[in-house]
Amino acid sequence: MAEKWIGVVGGVGPFAGIDLLGKIAAQTVANQDQDHLTVLNWSQPAKVVDRTEYLLGEVEENPAVALAAQVQQLAKMGAGVVGIPCNTAHAPRIFNQIRAELAAANCDVTLLHMIEEVGRFLQTHLPEVTQVGVLSTTGTYRAGVYVDVLGELGFTAVLPPLTLQTEKIHPAIYDPEYGIKACGVATAEAKANLQEGIVTLKTAGAEAIILGCTELPLAFTKPTAAGLPLIDPTLILARALIREANPTKSKEVIE
Amino acid sequence: MAEKWIGVVGGVGPFAGIDLLGKIAAQTVANQDQDHLTVLNWSQPAKVVDRTEYLLGEVEENPAVALAAQVQQLAKMGAGVVGIPCNTAHAPRIFNQIRAELAAANCDVTLLHMIEEVGRFLQTHLPEVTQVGVLSTTGTYRAGVYVDVLGELGFTAVLPPLTLQTEKIHPAIYDPEYGIKACGVATAEAKANLQEGIVTLKTAGAEAIILGCTELPLAFTKPTAAGLPLIDPTLILARALIREANPTKSKEVIE
């Protein structure tokens, strides 16, 4: 089977896109440059309205239109399998529209669904877990993205109380002064907010924590927090993209 | 003036390409995703023969042909300014051929010359420095890339003795067991080799050290080593790309 080229919609957000590219390279079996897969990245963030603002009704334009256009650009360049490293973009109101736009354009690229990949990962690698805590933007939170997708796979999603969500978790990502999107790194204040979120989710019964916004893995260097395994959807998406492009290039163990 | 799109030839090597993308994002004035520049990355490393092997006569194919084709793909996608984050690819035997291929194809994209950008950076930011140490692959070393370009700008390049170059510096990048290209991170052995190189160059009169292979910045987290300023060509290329795309988006101070 011919190797597929990987396409990445890299601007949502830019640091998350770069994190995905890094994880694709790190998870690829390679001893030299030439062993790495072909990866195309289309990062055009100015064209894509904020996914959370759309879900919360603050802007009318569905970001799906621009995202679908960028997936099509990647397909035109030769990508055979594409990933979008943005959890909020996987809310049904956005992701179903992307799929509809691609179908209308007869674009037959394989577009992976990051959240479904996370669900399958949990079934395979953490079969004893049933209650899964989710840290995310308020857009993902309100859209119930993880609640629905994980629910269909037999998991119960555990979310923070609304005030903790809006006053601590969302700002850890979005605050213009200390948020990860603005700073490109996790500040001490962002980390403290997230730690409080994890402890709260653990008390509420969570047995694992999904870092359900692609900026969040930037805040953690260890595989666990408060004794719970941390699940990184970006890493899972990276491995899924390699699997679809050429499964023989996928490292057997997560590194 | 319309903002130009940035194109990155990202596969030489893959981790260097990702490092460049990260530095472009980090050096951009932005408070939200939408403020970031459009950046397209074409990473197709399997098509590009090893630049050092070509310069050393170990392969016949000039990697310029594949590199020029990838620059053209980026131009076709809309990129207006392109960078190649590989020092060795800037050896005249390769880079002049890339320029010739682009001219023959009537491709009028602005292709930046990373080493010339480094020379201009030194003139502007370290005007008191005249002797510059260079750590690089043996391909860059033998091709005299930095010696020539810096020489034209009035600097003296200080290189390691040949045995140190071939037994310690090159392997820090290329060794299949502990080299940065194979590991994706700088191992303790790679770091020790490079530190030995820096001390040697300092003793030989170097007043600053150019990390003259795009994998080398991965080995250093501080701006100096052995008391000498470290010059990161990837960072300089990132800032040059932003300057050409839209100078108002460039952070005033290097971060």
Side-chain angles (χ1 to χ4, degrees):
Chain A
M1 198 186 75
E3 194 167 279
K4 283 185 189 167
W5 292 4
I6 293 173
V8 170
V9 178
V12 287
F15 291 101
I18 293 160
D19 188 41
L20 176 61
L21 296 173
K23 283 167 179 165
I24 293 168
Q27 297 295 320
T28 302
V29 177
N31 285 318
Q32 54 181 2
D33 292 353
Q34 289 76 15
D35 296 339
H36 282 269
L37 295 163
T38 295
V39 181
L40 311 176
N41 177 50
W42 189 283
S43 179
Q44 191 180 15
K47 285 277 185 191
V48 188
V49 298
D50 191 86
R51 285 68 66 198
T52 292
E53 288 181 12
Y54 170 70
L55 293 177
L56 300 182
E58 295 165 11
V59 294
E60 278 196 22
E61 182 188 342
N62 191 333
V65 178
L67 290 169
Q70 295 179 12
V71 173
Q72 286 178 72
Q73 288 286 2
L74 288 163
K76 202 169 131 192
M77 288 153 63
V81 58
V82 171
I84 304 176
C86 172
N87 286 270
T88 316
H90 289 78
R93 279 172 57 204
I94 300 175
F95 205 80
N96 290 347
Q97 185 64 28
I98 297 173
R99 282 180 167 155
E101 301 261 341
L102 295 177
N106 286 316
C107 181
D108 68 350
V109 76
T110 301
L111 176 64
L112 296 186
H113 190 296
M114 182 165 63
I115 319 294
E116 289 174 6
E117 295 291 343
V118 170
R120 283 188 212 116
F121 177 89
L122 288 169
Q123 289 179 319
T124 308
H125 292 89
L126 292 171
E128 73 286 5
V129 165
T130 60
Q131 301 207 73
V132 192
V134 184
L135 294 176
S136 72
T137 64
T138 298
T140 298
Y141 180 95
R142 287 237 168 107
V145 182
Y146 274 95
V147 176
D148 291 352
V149 176
L150 294 182
E152 280 177 24
L153 294 166
F155 299 97
T156 302
V158 183
L159 306 186
L162 184 60
T163 49
L164 180 65
Q165 172 63 37
T166 56
E167 289 171 17
K168 297 287 180 77
I169 307 304
H170 190 80
I173 304 162
Y174 270 94
D175 189 274
E177 296 298 323
Y178 71 85
I180 300 172
K181 276 188 190 282
C183 301
V185 294
T187 59
E189 189 165 357
K191 285 183 186 173
N193 286 11
L194 297 171
Q195 185 64 26
E196 184 179 339
I198 290 171
V199 171
T200 303
L201 293 174
K202 185 179 184 180
T203 306
E207 300 154 291
I209 302 289
I210 294 174
L211 303 175
C213 169
T214 47
E215 313 292 350
L216 293 177
L218 305 178
F220 299 92
T221 52
K222 293 181 184 167
T224 61
L228 300 184
L230 297 173
I231 310 299
D232 175 359
T234 307
L235 179 60
I236 292 169
L237 180 59
R239 291 180 62 88
L241 287 164
I242 299 168
R243 177 195 73 212
E244 296 293 320
N246 181 348
T248 69
K249 290 276 186 180
S250 181
K251 286 189 179 169
E252 285 191 20
V253 179
I254 294 175
E255 283 186 12
Chain B
M1 197 186 76
E3 194 168 281
K4 283 184 186 166
W5 292 4
I6 294 173
V8 170
V9 178
V12 287
F15 291 101
I18 293 161
D19 189 39
L20 176 60
L21 296 174
K23 282 168 179 162
I24 293 169
Q27 297 294 321
T28 302
V29 177
N31 285 317
Q32 53 181 4
D33 292 353
Q34 288 75 16
D35 297 338
H36 282 270
L37 294 163
T38 295
V39 181
L40 311 176
N41 177 50
W42 190 283
S43 178
Q44 192 179 16
K47 286 277 184 189
V48 187
V49 298
D50 191 86
R51 284 69 64 196
T52 292
E53 287 182 11
Y54 169 70
L55 292 176
L56 299 181
E58 295 166 10
V59 295
E60 279 196 21
E61 181 187 341
N62 190 332
V65 179
L67 290 169
Q70 294 179 11
V71 173
Q72 286 179 70
Q73 288 286 0
L74 288 163
K76 202 169 131 193
M77 288 154 63
V81 58
V82 171
I84 304 176
C86 172
N87 286 271
T88 315
H90 290 77
R93 280 171 58 205
I94 300 174
F95 205 80
N96 291 346
Q97 185 63 29
I98 296 174
R99 283 179 167 156
E101 302 261 343
L102 294 178
N106 287 315
C107 180
D108 68 350
V109 76
T110 301
L111 177 63
L112 297 186
H113 190 297
M114 183 164 65
I115 319 296
E116 289 174 7
E117 296 291 343
V118 170
R120 283 189 213 117
F121 177 90
L122 288 170
Q123 290 179 320
T124 308
H125 292 89
L126 292 170
E128 73 287 4
V129 165
T130 59
Q131 302 207 75
V132 191
V134 184
L135 294 177
S136 72
T137 64
T138 298
T140 298
Y141 179 95
R142 288 236 167 109
V145 183
Y146 275 95
V147 176
D148 291 351
V149 177
L150 294 182
E152 281 179 23
L153 295 167
F155 298 97
T156 303
V158 184
L159 305 187
L162 184 59
T163 50
L164 180 65
Q165 173 62 39
T166 55
E167 290 173 16
K168 295 286 180 77
I169 307 304
H170 190 81
I173 302 161
Y174 270 94
D175 190 274
E177 295 298 322
Y178 72 85
I180 301 173
K181 276 188 190 283
C183 301
V185 294
T187 60
E189 190 165 358
K191 284 182 186 173
N193 287 11
L194 297 170
Q195 184 65 24
E196 184 179 338
I198 289 171
V199 170
T200 303
L201 293 174
K202 186 179 185 180
T203 305
E207 300 154 291
I209 302 288
I210 294 174
L211 303 175
C213 170
T214 46
E215 313 291 351
L216 292 178
L218 303 180
F220 299 93
T221 52
K222 293 180 184 168
T224 63
L228 300 183
L230 297 173
I231 310 297
D232 174 0
T234 307
L235 179 60
I236 292 169
L237 180 60
R239 291 180 62 88
L241 288 164
I242 298 168
R243 178 195 73 212
E244 296 294 320
N246 180 349
T248 69
K249 290 277 186 180
S250 182
K251 285 188 180 170
E252 286 191 20
V253 179
I254 294 175
E255 285 185 13

